[in-house]
Amino acid sequence: MKIIAVNDYEELSKVASKIIIEKVKNQPDCVLGLATGGTPEKTYQLLIEDFKRNATTYQNVNTVNLDEYVGLPNNHPQSYHSYMFHKLFKLLDLKSENIHMPDGMVSDLQEECKRYDMILDHLNYPDLQLLGIGSNGHIGFNEPGSPFSQKTYVTTLSESTRLANARFFNHLDEVPSHAITMGISGILKSKEILLLASGESKAKAVKELLVGELDMNFPASALKSHKHVTIIVDSLALKEVRKIKDIELSEATCGGHEI
Ligand code: F6R
């Protein structure tokens, strides 16, 4: 795992957007795996700024999203369909037929999981998968205990995840209890993975990711078995790691410090 240590959220977003833009320029027909949540918001804003300023085109890019809540209509303000549409998709030149997300409103969720896996298979999985991390170590909505062999499935959100996401809703009761998520096996089929971690609430998870063992109860540890993972982490999220003697910061790369 390559670790890029940056000062703050701004720098994290700049470095992440630079990596994504480079990918799209070098491989204009790439498949981008995308995440939602608070962490990638600024990265998406920077992709949009670059699109306006430098006309980087997404016309031949396909996107696949990690997850969607079960039971929220696509036009619900907190659905991930809405999030992606308003924060990114409508502001780039993506073709609508190249945008892929699981649908949490269908009557047969198992069929929907199969449909999504067929799309992932057809696209041959993301060339670059963007990930956030939950404070409990979840990636996508793969909560602690999810087998690493899991394909797309319906997951039960943990209480800590519902509490963390309640900030986007009026009340905790409104946060859905289930979601459709790409499983860990699908995520690991991505050719390259970029995980972003920002803020003190992620410090324990980052420490576990960097120093812990492969462990089903810490889903992000599955990334240790992948050959091409980059983690961009800001100083607050690195707080617990800086206390560990044998991890030292070295030369700066892409505006951050590679560990
Ligand atoms: C979102 C997703 C989640 C988030 C994670 C961190 O599509 O799959 O794993 O990346 O919950 O969320 P934030 O960025 O809000 O801290």
Side-chain angles (χ1 to χ4, degrees):
M1 284 192 293
K2 176 177 164 188
I3 325 289
I4 300 175
V6 295
N7 290 319
D8 54 23
Y9 179 65
E10 290 294 310
E11 204 181 340
L12 171 141
S13 308
K14 272 188 202 154
V15 176
S17 64
K18 201 170 152 186
I19 292 172
I20 298 169
I21 292 164
E22 280 308 301
K23 182 81 209 169
V24 172
K25 282 186 174 157
N26 291 336
Q27 193 183 339
D29 62 349
C30 67
V31 178
L32 291 181
L34 299 175
T36 54
T39 314
E41 283 196 25
K42 180 78 189 173
T43 301
Y44 293 156
Q45 283 171 20
L46 294 174
L47 296 187
I48 294 158
E49 274 177 29
D50 165 75
F51 171 69
K52 287 185 185 150
R53 193 172 303 139
N54 305 318
T56 305
T57 182
Y58 292 75
Q59 264 178 357
N60 295 315
V61 168
N62 271 271
T63 65
V64 288
N65 264 78
L66 282 168
D67 38 28
E68 177 57 285
Y69 289 119
V70 169
L72 288 192
N74 291 351
N75 62 0
H76 185 287
Q78 296 312 331
S79 77
Y80 288 165
H81 276 77
S82 280
Y83 173 110
M84 291 308 301
F85 180 72
H86 293 293
K87 294 187 196 296
L88 191 68
F89 294 155
K90 72 171 184 191
L91 300 155
L92 298 176
D93 64 346
L94 282 157
K95 291 190 187 124
S96 57
E97 64 268 31
N98 288 351
I99 293 171
H100 311 282
M101 296 188 73
D103 187 342
M105 283 303 284
V106 296
S107 53
D108 191 338
L109 293 168
Q110 300 310 324
E111 271 309 308
E112 178 59 9
C113 294
K114 283 190 203 150
R115 182 193 73 90
Y116 206 58
D117 277 332
M118 275 169 63
I119 292 173
L120 292 168
D121 276 338
H122 175 72
L123 293 172
N124 203 16
Y125 294 84
D127 292 296
L128 177 64
Q129 174 67 58
L130 185 63
L131 295 177
I133 183 167
S135 49
N136 64 359
H138 72 222
I139 48 174
F141 274 140
N142 293 281
E143 298 283 27
S146 320
F148 292 170
S149 57
Q150 195 72 259
K151 292 176 154 193
T152 301
Y153 68 110
V154 178
T155 179
T156 305
L157 300 180
S158 71
E159 269 320 285
S160 73
T161 298
R162 291 186 66 246
L163 272 172
N165 288 3
R167 70 192 197 278
F168 299 115
F169 292 80
N170 296 320
H171 196 271
L172 177 61
D173 293 347
E174 292 175 17
V175 184
S177 54
H178 292 82
I180 297 187
T181 185
M182 255 172 91
I184 290 182
S185 91
I187 293 174
L188 292 180
K189 283 184 186 157
S190 309
K191 279 97 182 164
E192 186 180 345
I193 295 176
L194 181 61
L195 182 142
L196 312 181
S198 170
E200 206 168 347
S201 64
K202 304 295 169 71
K204 285 212 171 75
V206 167
K207 178 181 167 192
E208 183 62 30
L209 176 58
L210 299 188
V211 303
E213 304 287 320
L214 267 182
D215 179 359
M216 230 170 77
N217 290 315
F218 188 77
S221 67
L223 301 177
K224 289 175 184 291
S225 62
H226 193 282
K227 286 199 200 92
H228 200 165
V229 177
T230 301
I231 298 173
I232 310 178
V233 56
D234 69 11
S235 55
L236 285 174
L238 255 190
K239 220 170 144 190
E240 296 283 328
V241 178
R242 287 187 194 279
K243 293 178 193 157
I244 300 168
K245 274 196 205 140
D246 56 1
I247 294 185
E248 285 174 13
L249 297 181
S250 64
E251 205 54 27
T253 55
C254 331
H257 298 272
E258 195 178 333
I259 296 180

